[in-house]
CSV table of all heavy atoms in Angstrom, one decimal:
chain,number,residue,atom,x,y,z
A,1,THR,N,126.8,152.5,73.3
A,1,THR,CA,128.2,151.9,73.4
A,1,THR,C,128.9,152.3,74.7
A,1,THR,O,129.5,151.4,75.3
A,1,THR,CB,129.0,152.3,72.2
A,1,THR,OG1,128.3,151.9,71.0
A,1,THR,CG2,130.4,151.6,72.2
A,2,LEU,N,128.8,153.5,75.0
A,2,LEU,CA,129.4,154.0,76.2
A,2,LEU,C,128.9,153.3,77.5
A,2,LEU,O,129.6,152.9,78.4
A,2,LEU,CB,129.2,155.5,76.4
A,2,LEU,CG,129.8,156.2,77.6
A,2,LEU,CD1,131.3,156.1,77.6
A,2,LEU,CD2,129.3,157.7,77.6
A,3,VAL,N,127.5,153.1,77.5
A,3,VAL,CA,126.9,152.5,78.6
A,3,VAL,C,127.4,151.0,78.8
A,3,VAL,O,127.7,150.5,79.8
A,3,VAL,CB,125.4,152.5,78.5
A,3,VAL,CG1,124.8,151.6,79.6
A,3,VAL,CG2,124.9,153.9,78.7
A,4,LEU,N,127.4,150.3,77.6
A,4,LEU,CA,127.8,148.9,77.6
A,4,LEU,C,129.3,148.7,78.1
A,4,LEU,O,129.6,147.8,78.9
A,4,LEU,CB,127.7,148.3,76.3
A,4,LEU,CG,126.2,147.9,75.9
A,4,LEU,CD1,126.2,147.4,74.4
A,4,LEU,CD2,125.6,146.9,76.8
A,5,VAL,N,130.1,149.6,77.6
A,5,VAL,CA,131.6,149.6,78.0
A,5,VAL,C,131.7,149.9,79.5
A,5,VAL,O,132.4,149.2,80.3
A,5,VAL,CB,132.4,150.5,77.2
A,5,VAL,CG1,133.8,150.7,77.7
A,5,VAL,CG2,132.4,150.1,75.7
A,6,GLY,N,131.0,150.9,79.9
A,6,GLY,CA,131.0,151.3,81.4
A,6,GLY,C,130.5,150.2,82.3
A,6,GLY,O,131.0,149.9,83.3
A,7,LEU,N,129.4,149.6,81.8
A,7,LEU,CA,128.8,148.5,82.6
A,7,LEU,C,129.8,147.3,82.7
A,7,LEU,O,130.0,146.7,83.7
A,7,LEU,CB,127.5,148.0,81.9
A,7,LEU,CG,126.7,147.0,82.6
A,7,LEU,CD1,126.3,147.5,84.0
A,7,LEU,CD2,125.5,146.6,81.8
A,8,GLY,N,130.4,146.9,81.6
A,8,GLY,CA,131.4,145.9,81.6
A,8,GLY,C,132.6,146.1,82.5
A,8,GLY,O,133.0,145.3,83.3
A,9,VAL,N,133.1,147.3,82.5
A,9,VAL,CA,134.2,147.7,83.3
A,9,VAL,C,133.8,147.7,84.8
A,9,VAL,O,134.6,147.1,85.6
A,9,VAL,CB,134.8,149.1,82.9
A,9,VAL,CG1,135.8,149.6,83.9
A,9,VAL,CG2,135.4,149.1,81.5
A,10,ALA,N,132.6,148.2,85.1
A,10,ALA,CA,132.2,148.2,86.5
A,10,ALA,C,132.0,146.8,87.0
A,10,ALA,O,132.4,146.5,88.2
A,10,ALA,CB,130.9,149.0,86.6
A,11,LEU,N,131.4,145.9,86.3
A,11,LEU,CA,131.1,144.6,86.8
A,11,LEU,C,132.4,143.8,86.9
A,11,LEU,O,132.6,143.0,87.8
A,11,LEU,CB,130.1,143.9,85.8
A,11,LEU,CG,128.7,144.4,85.7
A,11,LEU,CD1,127.9,143.6,84.7
A,11,LEU,CD2,128.0,144.4,87.1
A,12,THR,N,133.3,144.1,85.9
A,12,THR,CA,134.6,143.4,86.0
A,12,THR,C,135.4,143.8,87.3
A,12,THR,O,136.0,143.0,88.0
A,12,THR,CB,135.4,143.6,84.8
A,12,THR,OG1,134.7,143.2,83.6
A,12,THR,CG2,136.8,142.9,84.8
A,13,TYR,N,135.4,145.1,87.5
A,13,TYR,CA,136.1,145.7,88.7
A,13,TYR,C,135.5,145.1,90.0
A,13,TYR,O,136.3,144.8,90.9
A,13,TYR,CB,135.9,147.2,88.7
A,13,TYR,CG,136.6,147.9,89.9
A,13,TYR,CD1,137.9,148.1,90.0
A,13,TYR,CD2,135.8,148.3,91.0
A,13,TYR,CE1,138.5,148.7,91.1
A,13,TYR,CE2,136.4,148.9,92.1
A,13,TYR,CZ,137.8,149.1,92.1
A,13,TYR,OH,138.3,149.7,93.2
A,14,LEU,N,134.2,144.9,90.1
A,14,LEU,CA,133.6,144.3,91.3
A,14,LEU,C,133.8,142.8,91.4
A,14,LEU,O,133.4,142.3,92.4
A,14,LEU,CB,132.1,144.7,91.3
A,14,LEU,CG,131.8,146.2,91.5
A,14,LEU,CD1,130.3,146.4,91.4
A,14,LEU,CD2,132.3,146.7,92.9
A,15,GLY,N,134.3,142.2,90.4
A,15,GLY,CA,134.5,140.8,90.4
A,15,GLY,C,133.3,140.0,90.1
A,15,GLY,O,133.2,138.8,90.2
A,16,VAL,N,132.3,140.7,89.5
A,16,VAL,CA,131.0,140.1,89.3
A,16,VAL,C,131.1,139.1,88.1
A,16,VAL,O,130.6,137.9,88.3
A,16,VAL,CB,129.9,141.2,88.9
A,16,VAL,CG1,128.7,140.5,88.3
A,16,VAL,CG2,129.6,142.0,90.0
A,17,MET,N,131.8,139.4,87.1
A,17,MET,CA,131.9,138.4,86.0
A,17,MET,C,132.7,137.2,86.4
A,17,MET,O,132.4,136.1,86.0
A,17,MET,CB,132.6,139.1,84.8
A,17,MET,CG,131.9,140.5,84.3
A,17,MET,SD,130.2,140.2,84.0
A,17,MET,CE,130.2,139.2,82.6
A,18,ARG,N,133.8,137.4,87.2
A,18,ARG,CA,134.5,136.2,87.6
A,18,ARG,C,133.7,135.3,88.5
A,18,ARG,O,133.7,134.1,88.3
A,18,ARG,CB,135.8,136.7,88.4
A,18,ARG,CG,136.6,135.5,89.0
A,18,ARG,CD,137.8,136.1,89.7
A,18,ARG,NE,137.5,137.2,90.6
A,18,ARG,CZ,137.1,137.0,91.9
A,18,ARG,NH1,136.9,135.7,92.3
A,18,ARG,NH2,136.9,138.0,92.7
A,19,ASN,N,133.0,135.9,89.5
A,19,ASN,CA,132.1,135.1,90.4
A,19,ASN,C,131.0,134.4,89.6
A,19,ASN,O,130.7,133.3,89.8
A,19,ASN,CB,131.5,136.0,91.4
A,19,ASN,CG,132.6,136.5,92.4
A,19,ASN,OD1,133.6,135.9,92.5
A,19,ASN,ND2,132.3,137.6,93.0
A,20,ALA,N,130.4,135.2,88.6
A,20,ALA,CA,129.3,134.6,87.8
A,20,ALA,C,129.8,133.4,87.0
A,20,ALA,O,129.1,132.3,86.9
A,20,ALA,CB,128.7,135.6,86.9
A,21,THR,N,131.0,133.5,86.5
A,21,THR,CA,131.6,132.4,85.7
A,21,THR,C,131.8,131.2,86.6
A,21,THR,O,131.6,130.0,86.2
A,21,THR,CB,133.0,132.8,85.1
A,21,THR,OG1,132.7,134.0,84.3
A,21,THR,CG2,133.6,131.7,84.3
A,22,VAL,N,132.4,131.4,87.8
A,22,VAL,CA,132.6,130.3,88.8
A,22,VAL,C,131.2,129.6,89.1
A,22,VAL,O,131.2,128.4,89.1
A,22,VAL,CB,133.2,130.8,90.1
A,22,VAL,CG1,133.3,129.7,91.1
A,22,VAL,CG2,134.6,131.3,89.8
A,23,GLU,N,130.2,130.4,89.4
A,23,GLU,CA,128.9,129.8,89.7
A,23,GLU,C,128.4,129.0,88.6
A,23,GLU,O,127.8,128.0,88.7
A,23,GLU,CB,128.0,130.9,90.2
A,23,GLU,CG,128.3,131.5,91.5
A,23,GLU,CD,127.5,132.7,91.9
A,23,GLU,OE1,127.0,133.4,91.0
A,23,GLU,OE2,127.2,132.8,93.1
A,24,TYR,N,128.5,129.6,87.3
A,24,TYR,CA,128.0,128.9,86.2
A,24,TYR,C,128.7,127.5,86.0
A,24,TYR,O,128.1,126.5,85.6
A,24,TYR,CB,128.1,129.8,84.9
A,24,TYR,CG,127.6,129.1,83.7
A,24,TYR,CD1,126.2,129.0,83.4
A,24,TYR,CD2,128.5,128.5,82.7
A,24,TYR,CE1,125.7,128.4,82.3
A,24,TYR,CE2,128.0,127.9,81.6
A,24,TYR,CZ,126.6,127.8,81.4
A,24,TYR,OH,126.1,127.2,80.3
A,25,GLU,N,130.0,127.5,86.1
A,25,GLU,CA,130.7,126.3,86.0
A,25,GLU,C,130.4,125.2,87.0
A,25,GLU,O,130.3,124.0,86.7
A,25,GLU,CB,132.3,126.6,86.0
A,25,GLU,CG,132.8,127.4,84.9
A,25,GLU,CD,134.2,127.8,85.0
A,25,GLU,OE1,134.7,127.6,86.2
A,25,GLU,OE2,134.8,128.3,84.1
A,26,VAL,N,130.1,125.7,88.2
A,26,VAL,CA,129.7,124.7,89.3
A,26,VAL,C,128.2,124.2,89.1
A,26,VAL,O,127.9,123.1,89.3
A,26,VAL,CB,129.9,125.4,90.6
A,26,VAL,CG1,129.4,124.5,91.8
A,26,VAL,CG2,131.4,125.7,90.8
A,27,PHE,N,127.3,125.2,88.8
A,27,PHE,CA,125.9,124.9,88.9
A,27,PHE,C,125.2,124.8,87.5
A,27,PHE,O,124.1,124.4,87.4
A,27,PHE,CB,125.2,125.9,89.8
A,27,PHE,CG,125.6,125.9,91.2
A,27,PHE,CD1,126.6,126.7,91.6
A,27,PHE,CD2,125.1,125.0,92.1
A,27,PHE,CE1,127.0,126.7,92.9
A,27,PHE,CE2,125.5,125.0,93.4
A,27,PHE,CZ,126.5,125.8,93.8
A,28,GLY,N,125.9,125.4,86.5
A,28,GLY,CA,125.2,125.6,85.2
A,28,GLY,C,125.2,124.4,84.3
A,28,GLY,O,125.6,124.6,83.1
A,29,ASN,N,125.0,123.2,84.7
A,29,ASN,CA,124.9,122.0,83.8
A,29,ASN,C,123.6,121.3,84.0
A,29,ASN,O,123.0,121.3,85.1
A,29,ASN,CB,126.1,121.1,83.9
A,29,ASN,CG,126.2,120.5,85.3
A,29,ASN,OD1,125.4,119.6,85.6
A,29,ASN,ND2,127.1,121.1,86.2
A,30,LEU,N,123.1,120.6,82.9
A,30,LEU,CA,121.8,120.0,83.0
A,30,LEU,C,121.7,118.9,84.0
A,30,LEU,O,120.7,118.6,84.6
A,30,LEU,CB,121.5,119.5,81.6
A,30,LEU,CG,121.1,120.6,80.6
A,30,LEU,CD1,120.9,119.9,79.2
A,30,LEU,CD2,119.9,121.4,81.0
A,31,SER,N,122.9,118.1,84.2
A,31,SER,CA,122.9,117.1,85.2
A,31,SER,C,122.6,117.6,86.6
A,31,SER,O,121.8,117.1,87.4
A,31,SER,CB,124.2,116.4,85.2
A,31,SER,OG,124.4,115.7,84.0
A,32,ARG,N,123.2,118.8,86.9
A,32,ARG,CA,122.9,119.4,88.2
A,32,ARG,C,121.5,119.9,88.3
A,32,ARG,O,120.8,119.8,89.3
A,32,ARG,CB,123.9,120.6,88.4
A,32,ARG,CG,123.7,121.3,89.7
A,32,ARG,CD,124.9,121.0,90.6
A,32,ARG,NE,124.7,121.6,91.9
A,32,ARG,CZ,125.6,121.6,92.9
A,32,ARG,NH1,126.8,121.0,92.6
A,32,ARG,NH2,125.4,122.1,94.1
A,33,VAL,N,121.0,120.4,87.2
A,33,VAL,CA,119.6,120.9,87.1
A,33,VAL,C,118.6,119.7,87.4
A,33,VAL,O,117.7,119.8,88.1
A,33,VAL,CB,119.3,121.5,85.8
A,33,VAL,CG1,117.8,121.8,85.6
A,33,VAL,CG2,120.0,122.9,85.6
A,34,GLN,N,119.0,118.6,86.8
A,34,GLN,CA,118.1,117.4,87.0
A,34,GLN,C,118.1,117.0,88.4
A,34,GLN,O,117.1,116.6,89.0
A,34,GLN,CB,118.6,116.3,86.1
A,34,GLN,CG,118.0,114.9,86.3
A,34,GLN,CD,116.5,114.9,86.1
A,34,GLN,OE1,115.9,115.8,85.4
A,34,GLN,NE2,115.8,113.8,86.5
A,35,SER,N,119.3,117.0,89.0
A,35,SER,CA,119.3,116.6,90.5
A,35,SER,C,118.5,117.5,91.4
A,35,SER,O,117.8,117.1,92.2
A,35,SER,CB,120.8,116.6,90.9
A,35,SER,OG,120.9,116.3,92.3
A,36,SER,N,118.7,118.8,91.1
A,36,SER,CA,117.9,119.8,91.9
A,36,SER,C,116.4,119.7,91.7
A,36,SER,O,115.6,119.8,92.6
A,36,SER,CB,118.3,121.2,91.6
A,36,SER,OG,119.7,121.4,91.9
A,37,ARG,N,116.0,119.4,90.4
A,37,ARG,CA,114.7,119.3,90.0
A,37,ARG,C,114.0,118.1,90.7
A,37,ARG,O,112.9,118.2,91.2
A,37,ARG,CB,114.5,119.2,88.5
A,37,ARG,CG,113.1,119.2,88.1
A,37,ARG,CD,112.9,119.0,86.6
A,37,ARG,NE,111.6,119.1,86.1
A,37,ARG,CZ,110.7,118.1,86.4
A,37,ARG,NH1,111.0,117.0,87.0
A,37,ARG,NH2,109.4,118.3,86.0
A,38,MET,N,114.7,117.0,90.8
A,38,MET,CA,114.2,115.8,91.4
A,38,MET,C,114.0,116.0,93.0
A,38,MET,O,113.1,115.5,93.5
A,38,MET,CB,115.1,114.6,91.1
A,38,MET,CG,115.1,114.1,89.7
A,38,MET,SD,113.4,113.8,89.1
A,38,MET,CE,112.9,112.5,90.2
């Protein structure tokens, strides 16, 4: 539990979760996957 909490705090502090969310919203849909695959 301590590790998971510490990991979440560290990633949030570095902006990792925010950046990951932005990237997922931009690239993480099947239509975009289909375009890249083709």
Side-chain angles (χ1 to χ4, degrees):
T1 303
L2 179 64
V3 171
L4 285 175
V5 172
L7 184 61
V9 171
L11 293 178
T12 302
Y13 177 78
L14 292 173
V16 170
M17 305 307 294
R18 174 176 52 81
N19 293 336
T21 301
V22 172
E23 289 175 329
Y24 180 78
E25 291 174 352
V26 175
F27 297 95
N29 61 78
L30 289 177
S31 297
R32 181 109 186 184
V33 170
Q34 171 64 13
S35 177
S36 299
R37 187 184 183 283
M38 291 307 299

